[in-house]
Structure formats: structure tokens, C-alpha cells
Amino acid sequence: MVDHLANTEINSQRIAAVESCFGASGQPLALPGRVLLGEGVLTKECRKKAKPRIFFLFNDILVYGSIVLNKRKYRSQHIIPL
């Protein structure tokens, strides 16, 4: 299934949308063969209050960051290779 999605226009548009949400501070995410599998919000439990983080699961990396504006702007992009 991942091979089927790798070269589709919809996948390219979704990856471009993730890149644009992180802005100029984020690293480029569009690579040949990379597929965006899922996304969601998880909550980091801190001492003072819970902090939401956005996560994007690709076939080869996990990207997460802090939410500034929901579904529009994120910051502090972190990439974990899988």
C-alpha cells in the first residue's frame, strides 16, 4: 500500500502542506518514496500544565512540533528517523 501512495499527487500535496505549516524554520520533507501515513495530536504532560504536540508519521521518519495555530502553524520541528 505504501508503494502505491508514494508517487501520488495527493501524497505530495499533504507533504507540502506539512512543510508549509512549519514555515522556513522547518527542514524539507518531500523526498522520492516518502509517504505521509498519519497525523495527530498528543499531549505532553509537564509539571505545570499539559502541552499539545502535533505528530506526523511518515514511512521512514516521525516529525513532531509545538502547535501555534491548530492546522495552520507549528514550530520547533523535530525529526526522528525510523
Side-chain angles (χ1 to χ4, degrees):
M1 176 159 173
V2 172
D3 296 331
H4 174 68
L5 295 172
N7 297 319
T8 63
E9 184 64 28
I10 295 171
N11 183 55
S12 300
Q13 290 173 355
R14 290 177 65 198
I15 292 174
V18 172
E19 284 182 343
S20 68
C21 287
F22 279 105
S25 64
Q27 297 179 9
L29 299 172
L31 289 177
R34 183 167 284 168
V35 178
L36 178 59
L37 300 173
E39 62 183 89
V41 177
L42 295 174
T43 304
K44 178 182 177 185
E45 293 295 329
C46 295
R47 286 185 298 163
K48 295 187 178 186
K49 65 177 184 174
K51 297 179 182 177
R53 300 284 190 256
I54 186 76
F55 282 79
F56 299 96
L57 178 63
F58 293 86
N59 60 332
D60 59 342
I61 60 172
L62 179 68
V63 178
Y64 70 96
S66 302
I67 299 172
V68 177
L69 294 172
N70 197 16
K71 300 275 187 183
R72 295 189 186 178
K73 187 160 174 75
Y74 311 120
R75 64 183 167 112
S76 304
Q77 181 187 53
H78 300 280
I79 297 176
I80 300 173
L82 301 177

